[in-house]
Amino acid sequence: MTDSITASAPGKFVILGEHAVVYGKPAIALAINRRLSLSVTKCTEFRLNDEPADVNSSPHLKNILSRYDMVPVSVRSESRIPAGSGLGSSAALSVAFAAAMRAVEGMSLVPEEIAFEAFEAEYSAQGRGSPMDTSASTHGMGVALNVPGGKPLWEMEKNGRSWNVVGIDVPKMTFVIGYTGIRASTGPLVEKVRKYKDGNRFAADIVDDIGRVTLEGMDAILRNDAVRLGGLMTEDHKLLSILGVSCRELNRLVDASLPHSYGAKLTGSGGGGSMVALTDDPEKVSDAILSRGGMPFVVKTGVEGVTVSARRE
Ligand code: MEV
């Protein structure tokens, strides 16, 4: 008999502040009711979904396994978070695997440690980024980085940059995600913004403006002011477009959603992936997204973070 550990971690969307957060600016991410779950069992070789696999082809998992002398494990995963959709599928994988491996090795399930190990895995796989996605997936509910106020969770640093992460209570709001169907990976988009910002004062000012909009958005969330929050989301989308991380498909879905929304914007790294609209009329927004070739899904916020359970097999 072996112990099989199952861990489940939520996806997230970034409501404000993506890209600018990489440079220490504020950002806010909300966990959603789409989850990835995986089970881990010790075995004689590395296996993925019941097939022998090369661990080098899974850099996130490899980074986490290197903390445990590359002990061979069998990993089965299933996800309701579309990969490359900007909804944190890779962070959820790292968080769930970090939590499961700690449980497999009989270590305590301290959220800060899980978030830290998952962030290290993401950073090493992408070579860049912030602890926003992994923190949101670990903690659940909502997290804000680099803002005053909120419930202190943890602080992380990497290569001279540091992020202060707080938990926020998210009021009940309805969002519709519109997935473009275009898979976009975060690393190259973060790199594109870095190059633009490093060589251009104007781009650096846009990054500052995103920081200002996000701080105002934090206040709007805490006051449950959907009108103000929606307006700030739309403003953020314009700023992100100027930074060059939107695309025609995302703009089309944002424009189609706006007449029925408080506001709409791309979410996550952009370049494809997804947009998000804040609305009281999710059906109309979903229809509008569908009519422009996007894949809509209504999401609930206020969900729990990573969970772990054990079973004898
Ligand atoms: C990706 O969801 C958000 C980015 O800001 C990158 C990061 O924070 O790691 C684009």
Side-chain angles (χ1 to χ4, degrees):
M1 296 242 278
T2 48
D3 276 335
S4 168
I5 302 290
T6 300
S8 156
K12 64 89 200 50
F13 71 87
V14 185
I15 184 156
L16 289 166
E18 52 272 89
H19 284 289
V21 67
V22 175
Y23 305 100
K25 303 289 174 200
I28 306 166
L30 307 182
I32 56 172
N33 60 336
R34 290 222 156 207
R35 303 183 75 90
L36 173 143
S37 68
L38 54 75
S39 65
V40 177
T41 318
K42 276 191 182 169
C43 72
T44 51
E45 60 180 350
F46 182 66
R47 294 175 79 86
L48 265 185
N49 295 325
D50 296 324
E51 301 287 339
D54 178 4
V55 71
N56 293 311
S57 60
S58 307
H60 304 74
L61 305 191
K62 184 181 171 192
N63 181 278
I64 291 166
L65 276 176
S66 68
R67 296 178 184 275
Y68 304 97
D69 294 331
M70 303 305 289
V71 56
V73 287
S74 169
V75 183
R76 280 194 210 127
S77 71
E78 64 179 42
S79 177
R80 290 192 60 239
I81 313 166
S85 63
L87 300 179
S89 60
S90 129
L93 176 70
S94 298
V95 167
F97 190 60
M101 281 309 298
R102 289 184 72 86
V104 163
E105 293 294 323
M107 294 166 72
S108 59
L109 297 172
V110 182
E112 179 168 359
E113 296 293 333
I114 296 169
F116 171 77
E117 288 175 18
F119 171 50
E120 289 286 319
E122 290 286 292
Y123 199 96
S124 82
Q126 292 171 4
R128 51 187 78 78
S130 78
M132 173 166 54
D133 295 11
T134 41
S135 293
S137 187
T138 304
H139 177 67
M141 297 300 289
V143 297
L145 279 68
N146 307 326
V147 296
K151 184 173 71 171
L153 293 178
W154 43 76
E155 200 165 324
M156 294 204 187
E157 58 171 68
K158 196 83 199 165
N159 290 341
R161 292 217 159 86
S162 67
W163 296 270
N164 174 41
V165 183
V166 301
I168 45 176
D169 290 334
V170 189
K172 276 208 166 69
M173 288 184 276
T174 309
F175 295 92
V176 181
I177 303 283
Y179 178 34
T180 58
I182 303 168
R183 282 181 70 139
S185 37
T186 302
L189 286 148
V190 171
E191 185 58 17
K192 180 176 177 181
V193 173
R194 190 192 61 75
K195 279 201 187 125
Y196 189 22
K197 179 185 161 298
D198 283 356
N200 190 311
R201 180 66 215 276
F202 173 69
D205 287 346
I206 298 290
V207 167
D208 287 345
D209 285 346
I210 292 176
R212 172 189 53 78
V213 163
T214 304
L215 274 186
E216 283 185 41
M218 175 80 175
D219 187 58
I221 291 175
L222 296 178
R223 290 171 194 271
N224 201 0
D225 184 344
V227 174
R228 188 154 154 245
L229 180 59
L232 291 163
M233 288 168 66
T234 307
E235 190 177 341
D236 194 22
H237 180 74
K238 289 181 187 144
L239 295 168
L240 288 164
S241 302
I242 298 171
L243 280 186
V245 294
S246 192
C247 63
R248 191 186 296 158
E249 290 81 357
L250 279 168
N251 291 343
R252 215 181 267 153
L253 301 187
V254 166
D255 290 346
S257 304
L258 280 175
H260 318 291
S261 306
Y262 294 109
K265 64 181 280 284
L266 72 83
T267 182
S269 45
S274 301
M275 49 71 65
V276 60
L278 172 59
T279 181
D280 287 336
D281 200 341
E283 268 185 31
K284 272 204 177 125
V285 173
S286 298
D287 288 348
I289 289 171
L290 259 181
S291 74
R292 296 299 187 94
M295 275 166 259
F297 39 98
V298 180
V299 293
K300 287 199 171 71
T301 52
V303 304
E304 67 180 338
V306 64
T307 59
V308 175
S309 58
R311 202 178 41 156
R312 289 241 121 163
E313 292 194 328

